[in-house]
Amino acid sequence: MSPRRKSLDSSDSSDSDSDSSHKIWKKEKKDKHGDKHKHKEDKHKDKHGPPQFPSNAPMTSPPPPNYTPNPPSSGYRLPLATTQAFPANAQQLGPPPCTDLDGSPIYIGSALFDNSVHPCKIGPHLQTYAAVAYAGAELLHSGRFDLLPFLPEQMEWVHTSGGRIPQGRRPVEGGYEESGAKLYHAIATIDGLRVPGKTGEHLGAANVSFGGAEHVVRDGYEVLCWR
């Protein structure tokens, strides 16, 4: 008698199918989650880009600012002489700080003597170009003199009296006496006209030349200072 074939139990089949389905679902779920995580990683990579690493390339920086050196205490001057023609380049001379009675330009400068240098007034219409207040007279200078271009952006005229240097200001040096005492550029008003000359603490005033004479003004004049 042939052995009896064991019948398949529906419950066994169902359990087997259920296990298979469960395994397949878990696999599909795992695949879906894997794809989801992979998508997040790809999105994260796209957002931040490739990793960055330090570079040995030199760092670029803006160039340093341009520094303008301070001019010397007496400024930059144009050397001239009474035996030479007066320069015609107005830009080289700078703006004239004063004018004469006839409207001619008056510049400032320093006349060189053997043992001293004195601030003076300079004009192309003057007989020897340079005139100095000296020993009570208006001395027409002969020889070397230096013209100081007036630069409003660097210099200014400051009111003072009695030979005093305005507090906290640095005057433009214009020369020195034989004794070594310093002289500075000054402007005083004579008969309504602004006239350049010299001043110093030892003078106690501004001495200017006008009309053939030396005028001593002790109050209400101006001294040239650096800004």
Side-chain angles (χ1 to χ4, degrees):
M1 185 174 178
S2 61
R4 188 176 180 181
R5 181 180 296 177
K6 186 178 180 180
S7 62
L8 294 176
D9 190 351
S10 61
S11 62
D12 293 340
S13 175
S14 175
D15 291 342
S16 175
D17 293 342
S18 176
D19 291 342
S20 299
S21 299
H22 181 67
K23 290 179 181 179
I24 293 172
W25 180 84
K26 286 180 68 177
K27 184 176 184 302
E28 289 178 352
K29 186 176 181 181
K30 183 178 180 181
D31 292 343
K32 288 181 180 180
H33 285 190
D35 292 342
K36 187 176 182 181
H37 289 308
K38 184 178 180 182
H39 178 68
K40 285 185 177 180
E41 290 176 0
D42 293 342
K43 186 177 181 181
H44 183 74
K45 288 180 181 179
D46 293 342
K47 182 178 180 181
H48 295 280
Q52 301 295 322
F53 298 96
S55 172
N56 291 328
M59 297 293 291
T60 58
S61 59
N66 293 325
Y67 294 100
T68 303
N70 290 329
S73 57
S74 58
Y76 295 106
R77 296 171 178 257
L78 181 64
L80 301 172
T82 57
T83 56
Q84 300 173 350
F86 196 85
N89 188 343
Q91 187 174 5
Q92 186 181 22
L93 302 175
C98 301
T99 55
D100 214 337
L101 284 172
D102 61 356
S104 298
I106 292 289
Y107 303 94
I108 57 176
S110 299
L112 281 67
F113 295 91
D114 290 337
N115 300 309
S116 62
V117 177
H118 285 250
C120 64
K121 68 178 182 181
I122 299 172
H125 64 294
L126 299 178
Q127 185 176 346
T128 61
Y129 304 139
V132 186
Y134 191 82
E138 182 176 42
L139 177 66
L140 297 179
H141 181 63
S142 177
R144 163 82 180 274
F145 64 97
D146 293 343
L147 187 147
L148 174 64
F150 175 65
L151 304 176
E153 66 277 8
Q154 296 182 6
M155 312 167 179
E156 64 179 337
W157 297 99
V158 182
H159 288 277
T160 188
S161 298
R164 290 183 292 273
I165 303 302
Q167 186 175 3
R169 303 307 301 264
R170 184 166 67 102
V172 179
E173 294 186 13
Y176 54 87
E177 302 272 19
E178 290 187 17
S179 63
K182 290 184 177 181
L183 294 169
Y184 309 104
H185 298 279
I187 283 182
T189 301
I190 306 296
D191 296 335
L193 194 69
R194 287 164 55 83
V195 182
K198 62 186 176 183
T199 187
E201 293 179 290
H202 63 291
L203 295 178
N207 295 24
V208 301
S209 64
F210 182 75
E214 179 180 27
H215 299 262
V216 178
V217 180
R218 300 194 179 278
D219 297 308
Y221 61 90
E222 299 165 81
V223 60
L224 185 63
C225 296
W226 295 106
R227 288 188 179 275

